[in-house]
Amino acid sequence: MKYVLGAKCVKCGKEYAAVPHLTTCSCGGILDIVYDYGAIRRDFSPKTLAGNRDWSMWRYRPFLPVEEGSPAPPLRVGWSPLYKADRLAHALGLRTLYIKDDGLNPTASLKDRASSLAVVKAMEAGASTIACSSTGNAASSLAGNAAAAGLESYIFVPSRAPKGKVAQLQIFGAHVISVDGSYEDTFELSKASIFRWGWYNRNAAINPYLSEGKKTVTLEILEQLGWQVPDYIALSVGDGCTIAGAWKGLKDLYAAGFIDRLPRLISVQAEGCCPLNRALQTGKPWTPMEENTLADSIAVGVPRNPDKALRALEESGGMAINVSDREILDAMTLLGRTQGVFGEPAGVTGTAGVKRALEQGRIPADATVVSIVTGNGLKDVQSGIKAAGEPMVVRPDMEALLAAFAAHGIDPKERMI
Amino acid sequence: MKYVLGAKCVKCGKEYAAVPHLTTCSCGGILDIVYDYGAIRRDFSPKTLAGNRDWSMWRYRPFLPVEEGSPAPPLRVGWSPLYKADRLAHALGLRTLYIKDDGLNPTASLKDRASSLAVVKAMEAGASTIACSSTGNAASSLAGNAAAAGLESYIFVPSRAPKGKVAQLQIFGAHVISVDGSYEDTFELSKASIFRWGWYNRNAAINPYLSEGKKTVTLEILEQLGWQVPDYIALSVGDGCTIAGAWKGLKDLYAAGFIDRLPRLISVQAEGCCPLNRALQTGKPWTPMEENTLADSIAVGVPRNPDKALRALEESGGMAINVSDREILDAMTLLGRTQGVFGEPAGVTGTAGVKRALEQGRIPADATVVSIVTGNGLKDVQSGIKAAGEPMVVRPDMEALLAAFAAHGIDPKERMI
């Protein structure tokens, strides 16, 4: 790995060689991958990148901790669209808003970025089997990416995981263990099992390579913005690994001279489960919370990556915004109706947070904001119906249709523009 | 429209000017858009295309019937991945197989290609409202693409449409009319309503522009293959518009000198609803059938585009393959487990047909085949669960896990490679 110097504990600073089977520090702290930015800067620039025709996350190889000879995994992960969302911006009273639709990844969430990287590292480690616990998306992304690469997978999900995600796991042929308990219970059982059988570990808070995959989302955003740095990047937060990864990507770009300043992060959590935001808001160490939100992907009462997440927020001068489940459902329809993007509840939570932050005057109306939609709404159709309601049912004749329009207050007249 | 000469009826040959509000011929026949291939050939080549950095279906503008000044709609449609599916090919006993995963379009189906084009034509027509009937995917794609562009939409779906697709419609803010009847009933009610209120018509069998959008799937496949022509392209068939569009794309490339031969098409229908295949197999005119298949997107007993579809099959020397619902469900897990692609039932029907054709010796094992996955499995999670089963549920402790592994015959040992 030409540009990787090693790994370093974010808690005690202890250094490690970047072997494929890297986990946590002996002190319990999470490791961070350290790069030789001088070397990256020497070999690599926005200009060299512009000539790269690999339109996937693997276009950022110099920033990724994989061996040069390792092939990219089969599924095409990354280079999801960044939409300039003028209609949504207008609805929110914001000047400039971009929506990064990461629900268009192969298994329909941002987590594909981490799983794609995990598959490479598992292969570098010579493993035949890879495992994780997950609220759902890491699971389905691991199952899909592993299947395409010919690896076996063991996946631990809490039994509350939405049907769409479980169906993906089953279709991808994973060994799925639906744990009748909380996410915390699920995580602990996966940890014990991984230790017992020696599977490659794809738990993002244990394996430091995974947030390196996730960081490609901000590498892409900045390249798609032509290296113009937005004022804010908003995203939903559960375990903390995604926001930590997003921040790592930004710091990498800054250190390698691709950008000249850093945006501020907006961490959005559900009111019913916001241990990390509460820590930031109160200035006290985080403590566990119950998992009371329909945004299942961020219903994490015991976040597994608090140190990196809180450090990212602190370093970026970031802010913590909590939103209600009602605001999350409203953001689903708002994104759908103005921008044609269908996000799952946790996927749109970042956007709900932008709305709340604007209402509270915590971000100015003339700011440039990027909101990352982290997962596709098709994964959780029940919440979609809950947000937007059921359609009118009509007998197949015109009279019935006219009556239904009248009952719903719909005027079907065409108004030529 | 620099390269469009006009439109021509596929039945009687009558010619029309290519106005935005074009529908069917006075004889009832469907129209086909006619291009000036000499002019395309003069201005445009694989080489000019290679320099185009628009990685969406709109990179093929010279082949599309839109005004030069018309902006592309907001959602990024097209340039879905084409995977060389070696593991799946091996499982099928085929030398070379490619999977085109069109379920990764913005609203998760190939229909986005037609809807993106429809949005442009509606805007060129000055319409504020656009409407269609659909078994589901045309509907959700129209709703999403219209919403992003700021158009209103009226969507007629049969009440059997899967929840995932209906949830999309509702989220995108369409006026959804769920018709308590067959697809035929649904189509007729939409037709009467469109006539009554003068909405822009996105019914693919009436509006000849739409299969021009769909054809971009084969334009892409050929570009992704470096203009090397495969022996066969397999896809599922319902109304007949998609296979007609796929064939039009291939003929365009041939006429413009981008490719030097044409592949054969494989039309795959469900045994329980195969009116077009039955016509091809018996040599008799098509007659309606019942809609007995779980592959809802192709459960079309009265196909609306039989002429173009049958002509495409005839011209390409194509073949008709019918598959059972069981074979469709098996294809869902086969694609998932070998390639990490989750298709909806109609989405994987093409692949089920490739398997059947190989088993029957109708295509040789050393052929090069492309199978198009037309829609994402997340749209129809019930069928996914039906195909792949439910996961094991386990209490959160190791003893329970060991018992569950034993009961399921799972040996969790890691086998280092």
Side-chain angles (χ1 to χ4, degrees), chain A residues 306-329:
Chain A
D307 295 338
K308 275 193 188 178
L310 292 170
R311 194 181 64 169
L313 281 165
E314 195 191 317
E315 287 179 2
S316 85
M319 67 180 78
I321 303 282
N322 299 329
V323 293
S324 67
D325 278 6
R326 186 66 254 168
E327 287 173 278
I328 292 172
L329 291 173

Side-chain angles (χ1 to χ4, degrees), chain A residues 121-310:
Chain A
K121 296 312 284 183
M123 290 191 142
E124 289 179 0
S128 66
T129 307
I130 186 165
C132 76
S133 73
S134 160
T135 51
N137 283 333
S140 51
S141 78
L142 175 58
N145 283 279
L151 294 174
E152 274 199 87
S153 62
Y154 284 81
I155 313 273
F156 297 76
V157 289
S159 53
R160 65 148 199 262
K163 276 189 179 303
K165 299 181 186 180
V166 175
Q168 288 183 294
L169 297 175
Q170 294 287 104
I171 287 284
F172 294 144
H175 300 294
V176 186
I177 300 101
S178 174
V179 179
D180 192 11
S182 69
Y183 179 59
E184 168 75 356
D185 295 331
T186 308
F187 186 88
E188 291 300 335
L189 187 60
S190 81
K191 195 171 153 188
S193 303
I194 290 167
F195 179 75
R196 180 174 189 129
W197 287 294
W199 304 323
Y200 192 80
N201 191 333
R202 188 244 176 265
N203 281 325
I206 286 179
N207 181 330
Y209 293 117
L210 301 191
S211 51
E212 300 296 310
K214 291 184 176 185
K215 82 182 176 189
T216 58
V217 71
T218 41
L219 302 182
E220 274 177 30
I221 288 169
L222 269 292
E223 186 178 3
Q224 288 169 323
L225 290 175
W227 312 108
Q228 297 300 305
V229 181
D231 301 311
Y232 299 91
I233 296 182
L235 69 172
S236 57
V237 172
D239 243 353
C241 297
T242 301
I243 197 165
W247 184 239
K248 180 69 179 288
L250 295 163
K251 283 200 301 180
D252 279 359
L253 291 176
Y254 186 76
F258 282 53
I259 56 177
D260 56 9
R261 65 184 183 99
L262 287 160
R264 295 176 66 187
L265 296 178
I266 305 177
S267 159
V268 192
Q269 293 203 291
E271 281 173 358
C273 189
C274 56
L276 293 176
N277 277 1
R278 190 170 64 178
L280 201 77
Q281 284 156 344
T282 60
K284 292 182 190 159
W286 73 272
T287 48
M289 280 186 81
E290 288 192 28
E291 297 170 354
N292 287 329
T293 172
L294 59 70
D296 66 287
S297 307
I298 53 166
V300 181
V302 181
R304 289 288 158 182
N305 211 337
D307 295 338
K308 275 193 188 178
L310 292 170

